[in-house]
């Protein structure tokens, strides 16, 4: 697929990886891009490993398969690093983003020699601080947009606010918490990228 990016999400049932992939497709579509956002279903149960995918392109997307050579991989649950080959097919020109309190250096040995960029975000801490609960999908979504550069930060934040306002119209505290989680995660990634430059 030319002129586009492909993202693969790894998480566990109930952590919001599927929701994050669908939200990303939704906000990218609202910025005028062609999108796909879909989960791969296995035996669906809480805590079971799940995979979700995004394709985002300026051009019409004619591919309708799973993604085998993603530009970016997002790992919402770091325990999957031991049981799933999260770097399978991941392009070395891309990046992997892992939800973990550990540093990039601590995570590297679990990535089967992957030589591309690696980012870590403590999505649990960010969401607990912002929302009072562990919902790592909002921080991981912001981190993914920051790393991939799929849309400018201000456009992404604006579209997400509109989306949350629609979804949580009667719960303003949920809107504020999610927006805070997005901003903090974006800051974490921008700081990490600035240190690499």
């Amino acid at each position: 697929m030319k002129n586009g990016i492909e993202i693969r999400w790894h998480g566990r049932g109930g952590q919001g990886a599927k929701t994050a992939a669908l939200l990303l497709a939704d906000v990218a579509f609202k910025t005028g891009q062609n999108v796909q956002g879909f989960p791969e279903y296995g035996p669906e149960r809480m805590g079971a490993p799940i995979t979700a995918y995004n394709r985002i392109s300026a051009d019409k997307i004619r591919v309708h398969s799973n993604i085998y050579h993603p530009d970016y991989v997002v790992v919402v649950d770091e325990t999957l690093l031991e049981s799933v080959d999260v770097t399978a097919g991941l392009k070395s020109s891309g990046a992997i983003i892992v939800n973990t309190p550990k540093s990039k250096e601590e995570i590297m040995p679990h990535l089967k020699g992957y030589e591309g960029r690696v980012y870590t975000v403590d999505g649990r801490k960010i969401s607990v601080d912002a929302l009072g609960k562990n919902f790592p999908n909002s921080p991981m979504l912001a981190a993914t947009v920051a790393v991939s550069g799929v849309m400018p930060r201000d456009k992404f934040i604006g579209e997400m606010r509109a989306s949350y306002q629609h979804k949580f119209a009667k719960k303003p505290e949920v809107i504020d918490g999610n927006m805070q989680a997005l901003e903090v995660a974006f800051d974490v990634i921008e700081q990490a990228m600035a240190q690499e430059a």
Side-chain angles (χ1 to χ4, degrees):
M1 186 179 82
K2 291 185 203 148
N3 303 321
I5 64 163
E6 295 183 317
I7 302 168
R8 188 174 66 218
W9 298 75
H10 293 280
R12 293 188 183 277
Q15 291 178 326
K18 178 184 94 168
T19 302
L22 297 177
L23 270 170
L24 179 56
D26 190 43
V27 295
F29 179 75
K30 287 176 181 165
T31 65
Q33 302 190 71
N34 293 290
V35 300
Q36 290 179 351
F38 56 98
E40 177 182 359
Y41 284 109
E44 279 308 293
R45 63 185 192 279
M46 205 71 142
I50 67 120
T51 311
Y53 305 94
N54 283 115
R55 284 190 179 93
I56 301 169
S57 177
D59 301 333
K60 188 165 168 119
I61 301 171
R62 301 185 187 280
V63 186
H64 296 282
S65 65
N66 287 352
I67 294 170
Y68 301 103
H69 299 284
D71 299 287
Y72 303 97
V73 164
V74 187
V75 182
V76 183
D77 187 320
E78 74 171 300
T79 64
L80 293 170
L81 296 176
E82 304 307 321
S83 56
V84 176
D85 185 1
V86 296
T87 59
L90 177 56
K91 295 175 185 169
S92 58
S93 58
I96 185 167
I97 309 152
V98 183
N99 174 20
T100 178
K102 296 176 183 157
S103 68
K104 165 185 165 178
E105 291 70 28
E106 290 173 285
I107 289 297
M108 295 289 283
H110 304 279
L111 301 181
K112 297 187 171 21
Y114 177 65
E115 294 178 357
R117 293 177 297 147
V118 177
Y119 297 97
T120 61
V121 177
D122 192 347
R124 178 189 182 92
K125 181 179 186 325
I126 291 170
S127 67
V128 168
D129 288 351
L131 287 154
K133 292 183 180 146
N134 182 21
F135 291 124
N137 58 342
S138 282
M140 296 311 290
L141 174 58
T144 304
V145 171
V147 170
S148 67
V150 71
M151 70 187 78
R153 177 175 179 158
D154 58 343
K155 190 97 174 144
F156 168 70
I157 294 295
E159 291 295 347
M160 287 304 297
R161 180 173 291 284
S163 178
Y164 286 145
Q165 283 171 340
H166 176 74
K167 191 173 179 182
F168 302 113
K170 293 188 167 78
K171 296 181 179 175
E173 71 284 355
V174 174
I175 298 167
D176 294 343
N178 272 296
M179 295 311 299
Q180 183 185 335
L182 294 175
E183 296 274 15
V184 171
F186 226 106
D187 289 343
V188 167
I189 293 295
E190 285 185 338
Q191 286 165 8
M193 291 170 90
Q195 286 169 356
E196 290 174 347

